[in-house]
Amino acid sequence: SAWQVTTGAPTIVVADIDTGVRFEHPDLLAVSAGGNLLPGYDMISDPAVANDGDGRDGDASDPGDWVTDTELSQGGGPFYQCEPMANPSSWHGTQTAGLIAARTNNGIGMASVGRTVRLLPVRALGKCGGYDSDIIDGIAWAAGLAVPGAPPNPYPAQIINLSLGGTDACSGAYHSVFAAALAHGVT
């Protein structure tokens, strides 16, 4: 019934701060290939967590966030006991991107809430989660705010989606970036 009100508009940019996306997914695809995905950015600073061989860069692709038993049991390793058990990749960013902006009525996969909006993937989570600093910088960059060491965002978001959580209260840094994004007109 929401589609009777709107299906979105290509002028609306929704940023998804998550694990990145699978750009080859037939329900998503880049705008240049007929989909709704904008280029985005990889904000993960730790190459081990990023699982793509490097730190921050312009590739918001999700290489997977799996964790093996060997990684979890390797004392002194970057993933020692970070999870209770081995896990396959979640592809969470791709799933969330599909809920927000998947192509619809194409006989593939699923239908999205806003099938005509543009989705800006901002990769801030990887193996065993991520760092608050990367998430905070991802929020700032998605909102079109300056982030040291990152290029300006050519597609500032009007809406930012954060499908993540934690057990602690938000730090002052989170409150500051939320306030800055809101002051910049971002929901």
Side-chain angles (χ1 to χ4, degrees), residues 47 50-55:
N51 196 32
D52 63 0
D54 57 24

Side-chain angles (χ1 to χ4, degrees), residues 6 8-14 116-119 158-159:
T6 185
T11 57
I12 298 171
V13 176
V14 179
T116 61
V117 302
R118 298 296 188 235
L119 188 115
Q158 290 96 347
I159 301 164

Side-chain angles (χ1 to χ4, degrees), residues 33-47:
N36 292 322
L37 292 178
L38 296 167
Y41 201 76
D42 180 355
M43 276 292 168
I44 301 176
S45 54
D46 182 337

Side-chain angles (χ1 to χ4, degrees), residues 14-43:
V14 179
D16 184 28
I17 315 253
D18 212 306
T19 64
V21 295
R22 301 295 304 260
F23 280 91
E24 73 280 7
H25 192 288
D27 249 0
L28 296 171
L29 301 176
V31 170
S32 61
N36 292 322
L37 292 178
L38 296 167
Y41 201 76
D42 180 355
M43 276 292 168

